[in-house]
Amino acid sequence: MFDIERWQEIFDTIRKNKLRTFLTGLSVASGIFILVILLGFGQGMQNGVAHEFEQDASTSVWVWPGVTAKEYKGLNPGRRIQLRNENFENSVSLLSEDIEYKSPRIFVQDVSVNYGNEVLVYSVQGVSYQFQQIDNAKMSEGRFINYSDEIGTAKVAVLGNKIKRDVFKNVDNPLGEYIDISGIPFKIIGFFGEQEEREEEVIYIPITTAQRVFNGSDKVSNLAYTVPPMENFDEAAARAIKFKNDLRAYLQQAHTVAPDDTSAIYVWSAMEEAKRYYGLTGNIKFFFWFVGVCTIIAGVVGVSNIMLIVVKERTREIGIRKALGAKPWSIVGMILHESIFVTAISGFAGLIFSMGLLELVGPHIEVDYIMNPSVNFNVALATVFVLIFAGTFAGFFPAWRAAKVQVIEALKDE
């Protein structure tokens, strides 16, 4: 039953000790505030990492050629590696069970792009029809390059949305229009969007067309693959890493590269990088928890200390209560009420302020690897209740000490 007189006593005590109570409450509130903010930024880091890896398929593996740094089998260092169609075809044949999508890519150099009298300064890349799934390109209009375009060396092009906004803003329906690439007309068949606007400044054409018309050989700039997805993240990461190592081993053998020469052929796995970053963010979140909990513990210790002071100052009052027949547990309850009151009010104040700050500021934070810091409300609320329990526990020992005070000694206290 709600005891008005009991709570009135608590408020009277708080008024008498208002400075100490304020400082203790501030310590507890700041502990919750710091913990929630730190957890929010820990989640923001996870969101940022996930956003970075969403730009391409999460299971993608990419290959870039480099320059040899070591002598191997009589070949001098400094050789530039050149990937070719046969490298792509042989890798697909050898590792087919570990491949979901695959595509070579070539960067078409020394070409001019025009639409009517307008010069378009954008990158032209030749890709296979499965590149859309690897690059995670979302079609906003039309379609991507298909298998028929590739085997038929069709003169078709897929453009990024930024090119559409910049070049075709006055054209009602740019699909079916033609752009000239070094004097050769290419029909626009689709527009795509990316996570980053700069990734939309690209013109894709079939790789067979790029090689036959502009390259004149079977050279490719890089290779791209995805491994089949799996439900378990660790198993998927392990499979991606194995595929990456097998692919590198094949390419090193094909190009007579020393097994320990890391600069000749670069193989990058999104899953491996994701595992590394998620592990790092997990460690950072653990550190945030540690700092926040230590801050809360400092606040709880402050609650315990102020309760000891309260017991000391109210020793005579406690003695009078016991002389009038107050039971030990009523004395314990009297002290615990104050301890619970301070921790609950301070804890909820810190929670409300920190959650409000994250709600207002969080959605507007988008920096590298930090995006929309937030925290699960249930986790934050549970933390407050744990804090209240800890405050109760901290106040119990001063309360128990008060309950054991001898009446004669208490009445003699000055």
Side-chain angles (χ1 to χ4, degrees):
M1 188 173 180
F2 187 76
D3 190 342
I4 296 178
E5 293 182 359
R6 175 84 279 274
W7 286 106
Q8 184 63 46
E9 290 178 6
I10 293 175
F11 283 117
D12 291 340
T13 304
I14 290 175
R15 280 197 298 270
K16 293 176 183 177
N17 303 277
K18 56 184 178 182
L19 179 59
R20 286 196 297 265
T21 305
F22 172 76
L23 294 177
T24 303
L26 183 62
S27 176
V28 174
S30 64
I32 287 292
F33 176 82
I34 291 172
L35 176 59
V36 172
I37 294 297
L38 290 177
L39 293 181
F41 271 87
Q43 184 61 47
M45 293 183 66
Q46 286 194 342
N47 295 340
V49 170
H51 177 73
E52 290 293 326
F53 286 99
E54 281 175 0
Q55 296 181 35
D56 299 322
S58 60
T59 60
S60 61
V61 177
W62 298 77
V63 179
W64 291 272
V67 178
T68 59
K70 297 185 177 182
E71 182 275 336
Y72 186 64
K73 292 186 177 181
L75 298 175
N76 293 326
R79 290 182 296 122
R80 182 168 294 279
I81 301 300
Q82 176 60 64
L83 299 174
R84 297 185 179 272
N85 286 347
E86 65 174 338
N87 297 140
F88 173 71
E89 294 163 0
N90 290 340
S91 66
V92 171
S93 177
L94 289 170
L95 305 170
S96 59
E97 293 183 357
D98 293 324
I99 297 174
E100 182 183 24
Y101 298 107
K102 69 277 185 186
S103 173
R105 177 167 63 168
I106 180 173
F107 297 97
V108 182
Q109 306 290 339
D110 302 323
V111 294
S112 59
V113 184
N114 300 85
Y115 174 69
N117 296 324
E118 186 172 357
V119 178
L120 312 185
V121 187
Y122 300 106
S123 169
V124 179
Q125 301 179 15
V127 297
S128 179
Y129 70 99
Q130 293 186 355
F131 189 78
Q132 178 187 0
Q133 287 77 17
I134 300 172
D135 196 47
N136 205 20
K138 303 293 191 300
M139 299 305 300
S140 59
E141 194 173 354
R143 65 174 179 85
F144 199 75
I145 297 166
N146 61 28
Y147 180 70
S148 298
D149 298 329
E150 186 173 341
I151 63 173
T153 60
K155 294 178 179 60
V156 294
V158 181
L159 283 60
N161 282 336
K162 187 176 187 303
I163 301 176
K164 179 183 177 182
R165 292 190 297 270
D166 293 346
V167 179
F168 301 96
K169 54 188 174 183
N170 297 323
V171 180
D172 292 335
N173 185 14
L175 286 179
E177 294 286 315
Y178 285 84
I179 58 172
D180 286 344
I181 303 179
S182 291
I184 301 173
F186 279 75
K187 183 179 181 180
I188 300 173
I189 60 172
F191 293 93
F192 69 91
E194 288 276 6
Q195 296 280 348
E196 300 289 340
E197 189 178 71
R198 59 184 175 80
E199 298 292 334
E200 297 179 352
E201 299 180 337
V202 177
I203 300 171
Y204 289 132
I205 63 175
I207 188 167
T208 51
T209 307
Q211 288 182 327
R212 183 169 301 180
V213 177
F214 301 110
N215 192 17
S217 69
D218 63 347
K219 297 178 181 179
V220 295
S221 302
N222 58 37
L223 308 176
Y225 312 81
T226 62
V227 298
M230 302 180 70
E231 293 184 1
N232 184 282
F233 176 81
D234 290 332
E235 291 179 2
R239 184 172 186 175
I241 293 171
K242 179 180 181 301
F243 173 76
K244 168 189 169 180
N245 294 334
D246 292 343
L247 180 61
R248 177 187 280 119
Y250 157 69
L251 292 172
Q252 287 176 331
Q253 181 182 12
H255 292 275
T256 318
V257 173
D260 58 344
D261 189 345
T262 58
S263 65
I265 298 171
Y266 299 96
V267 185
W268 182 86
S269 168
M271 287 294 291
E272 183 178 15
E273 291 300 308
K275 183 177 181 179
R276 182 179 295 114
Y277 277 106
Y278 284 139
L280 176 63
T281 56
N283 292 335
I284 291 175
K285 287 185 72 174
F286 176 79
F287 174 74
F288 285 169
W289 268 106
F290 177 76
V291 172
V293 168
C294 287
T295 308
I296 290 175
I297 290 174
V300 171
V301 171
V303 172
S304 180
N305 289 336
I306 197 172
M307 289 302 105
L308 286 171
I309 296 172
V310 167
V311 169
K312 178 65 176 175
E313 291 181 346
R314 299 177 66 182
T315 301
R316 188 174 183 82
E317 176 193 340
I318 292 170
I320 294 173
R321 287 177 178 271
K322 294 189 71 173
L324 295 175
K327 302 296 183 182
W329 284 109
S330 68
I331 303 297
V332 171
M334 178 183 69
I335 304 300
L336 287 183
H337 271 111
E338 298 180 21
S339 176
I340 294 171
F341 181 82
V342 171
T343 53
I345 295 298
S346 304
F348 280 111
L351 173 66
I352 293 170
F353 186 54
S354 58
M355 293 293 290
L357 184 63
L358 286 176
E359 286 294 322
L360 289 173
V361 179
H364 304 289
I365 296 178
E366 290 188 15
V367 297
D368 290 342
Y369 294 102
I370 298 179
M371 180 180 180
N372 190 19
S374 59
V375 67
N376 187 297
F377 179 75
N378 291 332
V379 173
L381 187 62
T383 304
V384 173
F385 282 110
V386 171
L387 171 66
I388 295 172
F389 175 80
T392 305
F393 184 75
F396 176 79
F397 294 100
W400 185 249
R401 178 181 175 181
K404 296 182 69 176
V405 170
Q406 299 296 322
V407 175
I408 300 300
E409 294 178 2
L411 293 177
K412 290 180 180 180
D413 187 74
E414 296 295 334

